[in-house]
Amino acid sequence: MDTVTRPRILVVGAGFAGVGCVRRLERALAPDEAEITLVTPFAYQLYLPLLPQVASGVLTPQSIAVSLRRSSKYRTRIIPGGAIGVDLKAKVCVVRTITDEIVNEPYDYIVLAPGSVTRTFDIPGLTDHAFGLKTLAEAAYIRDHVISQLDLADASQDPAERASRLQFVVVGGGYAGTETAACLQKLTHAAVKRYPRLDPGLIKWHLIDIAPKLMPELGDKLGRSALEVLRRRGIEVSLGVSIAKAGAEEVTFTDGRVVPTRTLIWTAGVVASPLIGALGAETVRGRLAVTAEMTLPGEDGVFALGDSAAVPDLAKGEEGAICPPTAQHAMRQGRKVAENLIATLRGEPLQPYVHKDLGLVVDLGGTDAVSKPLGIELHGLPAQAVARGYHWGALRTNVAKTRVLTNWLLNAVAGDDFVRTGFQLRRPAKLKDFEYTDSYLSPEQVRAQVEGKPAEG
């Protein structure tokens, strides 16, 4: 077959869903069957569930950033950039490259897996003063920042400044927020022993969430168990509470409390990528409405999956149920979309996505964890073994597995050195600086770009 006539498959996003799809396509399609292109700002797949362990120094950043170029079957063209618009009728994806050039990328089939961004609200000062935990750079920066607060508190002669630098606020009682608060509290608890001038009693961690329960998906028993672990460590957990206002040196809670702090970490959920809202297609709770085969109704050659798609959860057997935005669903959806895309190319029937949730794992650091594999409730060391075993098994390459296992063993034996790099010390690193949610084009701007007129923004 002539190379020019090969169908062009464009995959948007290199998360669990996008990479799972690309890898299956590479293995199942002969080189002359299709041309595969991946749009992603970074040539690695980030293992998001382990970001709190990078922030706390248990794992190195490289250990959870799995290179996309290591595969022995690697033949996918990578466009370093982000998709900022798609013209579904013209079959053109508009990409902003990492050099800020805007280019049109035509396709025959597109797989939309742009993932999610941090969910924020119209809270004064939030995006200007809060840290997020959605990217590798944010995790590395938060570690530097937390350790620097100890250094600065140790150097300060002002009791008020010292107290504010040693208070930390995490918003979000889901898995990300709970693990982040737990892991970073262990970091500061261990580190303060190396600062003889600092009173350990001044270090205070706050975990707040507007929901009435901590991690309600775990069930009442395990949720209470996790809550007890956190409170036993001295973490102040406030439920039914959120942020009313954020400033550079203090945070105001909705219950009226004002907490002096220089560290506000926002992990209060995620929403689908703004790319989805710019498509002009039907959505369900902000996620693209798709069929059980993960195709977009009424559009030719469009597949969507992962956090950005409302994939029907057939395993639940409930009308209107959609798959939660978790890694285990995204990985499996990626493989199923690849199989359905291949079936489309070969004129074969498509198959629906069906996967029963395997359960939930929450690593609270050290020997503390709560897990619910296959509905079995565990806590303590057994839960920790399940949590780490699940994460280790889910890593895509043996190199990544070796790095993570080595990091875990080394941290367990030798502890942390509490080293901060300082490489981003003078650069902004708040929520608004990392996720580029204002970069996307409107449908009108996309059409103008595709038609050869300069797109604004």
Side-chain angles (χ1 to χ4, degrees):
M1 181 181 293
D2 183 39
T3 303
V4 178
T5 65
R6 288 184 304 169
R8 297 163 298 184
I9 300 172
L10 183 65
V11 180
V12 175
F16 291 105
V19 172
C21 177
V22 166
R23 288 296 176 247
R24 180 58 64 95
L25 290 173
E26 287 181 330
R27 284 165 172 75
L29 285 176
D32 62 352
E33 283 189 273
E35 174 187 325
I36 308 169
T37 302
L38 176 64
V39 178
T40 173
F42 307 104
Y44 61 75
Q45 177 193 355
L46 180 63
Y47 192 84
L48 276 168
L50 291 178
L51 273 181
Q53 294 193 34
V54 171
S56 63
V58 174
L59 298 175
T60 60
Q62 188 181 10
S63 63
I64 67 166
V66 184
S67 172
L68 300 179
R69 302 186 190 275
R70 290 190 68 100
S71 171
S72 59
K73 294 192 179 289
Y74 167 75
R75 60 183 175 87
T76 297
R77 172 190 167 215
I78 295 177
I79 300 178
I84 58 174
V86 180
D87 188 326
L88 298 175
K89 301 303 179 186
K91 292 196 170 186
V92 173
C93 179
V94 181
V95 178
R96 188 190 299 273
T97 69
I98 56 174
T99 59
D100 270 341
E101 181 185 3
I102 297 180
V103 299
N104 296 339
E105 188 64 29
Y107 63 84
D108 297 299
Y109 300 92
I110 189 168
V111 177
L112 295 171
S116 55
V117 297
T118 302
R119 178 180 62 185
T120 58
F121 301 97
D122 190 19
I123 298 172
L126 176 63
T127 58
D128 290 320
H129 300 293
F131 298 100
L133 192 63
K134 199 79 169 62
T135 68
L136 199 59
E138 285 174 307
Y141 189 94
I142 284 174
R143 172 177 166 78
D144 265 16
H145 172 81
V146 168
I147 295 175
S148 72
Q149 295 314 295
L150 299 180
D151 289 341
L152 291 166
D154 187 52
S156 176
Q157 304 302 317
D158 182 352
E161 179 189 352
R162 181 176 292 186
S164 73
R165 291 195 181 281
L166 297 179
Q167 288 209 76
F168 306 88
V169 178
V170 179
V171 183
Y175 306 110
T178 302
E179 289 187 337
T180 298
C183 290
L184 286 172
Q185 185 274 337
K186 284 191 72 70
L187 170 68
T188 55
H189 178 73
V192 75
K193 297 173 185 176
R194 308 294 195 273
Y195 295 82
R197 293 181 66 248
L198 292 182
D199 176 6
L202 288 177
I203 296 181
K204 296 179 182 177
W205 280 87
H206 302 264
L207 175 63
I208 69 172
D209 194 275
I210 196 65
K213 293 181 181 179
L214 194 70
M215 297 181 293
E217 299 90 341
L218 284 173
D220 289 343
K221 184 178 178 182
L222 282 184
R224 283 196 303 271
S225 180
L227 188 59
E228 288 167 7
V229 168
L230 298 178
R231 286 179 169 161
R232 186 175 70 241
R233 289 198 198 161
I235 298 174
E236 184 176 319
V237 181
S238 302
L239 300 174
V241 177
S242 189
I243 294 295
K245 182 172 63 175
E249 298 182 7
E250 66 179 27
V251 170
T252 304
F253 292 178
T254 51
D255 62 4
R257 281 180 290 165
V258 178
V259 177
T261 181
R262 310 296 178 97
T263 309
L264 170 61
I265 302 174
W266 180 269
T267 63
V270 297
V271 293
S273 165
L275 178 66
I276 299 305
L279 294 176
E282 182 184 353
T283 59
V284 177
R285 282 176 269 174
R287 300 164 71 186
L288 200 59
V290 296
T291 66
E293 293 77 21
M294 291 171 285
T295 61
L296 186 61
E299 300 293 344
D300 177 46
V302 181
F303 296 81
L305 66 163
D307 291 6
S308 62
V311 179
D313 192 348
L314 301 184
K316 277 192 175 179
E318 301 173 9
E319 186 176 351
I322 60 175
C323 296
T326 62
Q328 63 174 288
H329 279 292
M331 286 189 287
R332 290 164 177 82
Q333 288 171 7
R335 292 195 288 270
K336 179 58 72 174
V337 159
E339 291 166 3
N340 280 342
L341 207 163
I342 294 166
T344 301
L345 289 173
R346 297 174 180 173
E348 299 170 356
L350 278 59
Q351 300 298 321
Y353 171 75
V354 183
H355 169 66
K356 187 175 181 180
D357 204 305
L358 297 177
L360 306 164
V361 295
V362 183
D363 189 334
L364 299 174
T367 59
D368 294 321
V370 290
S371 301
K372 196 174 182 179
L374 302 174
I376 302 170
E377 296 186 345
L378 302 171
H379 57 86
L381 273 176
Q384 182 64 283
V386 169
R388 295 205 168 180
Y390 173 79
H391 289 315
W392 186 81
L395 290 164
R396 193 171 49 78
T397 68
N398 290 330
V399 172
K401 290 179 180 180
T402 302
R403 284 186 177 135
V404 166
L405 185 59
T406 301
N407 284 178
W408 279 338
L409 292 173
L410 188 60
N411 185 266
V413 173
D416 199 329
D417 290 325
F418 315 113
V419 173
R420 57 186 175 93
T421 63
F423 68 94
Q424 287 184 316
L425 193 60
R426 298 184 183 278
R427 299 189 59 176
K430 300 304 191 292
L431 272 169
K432 66 177 183 178
D433 301 308
F434 278 99
E435 298 193 26
Y436 308 106
T437 53
D438 58 350
S439 297
Y440 297 85
L441 303 182
S442 67
E444 294 75 22
Q445 290 172 318
V446 172
R447 169 57 60 184
Q449 170 66 25
V450 171
E451 291 177 348
K453 304 170 186 175
E456 298 177 5

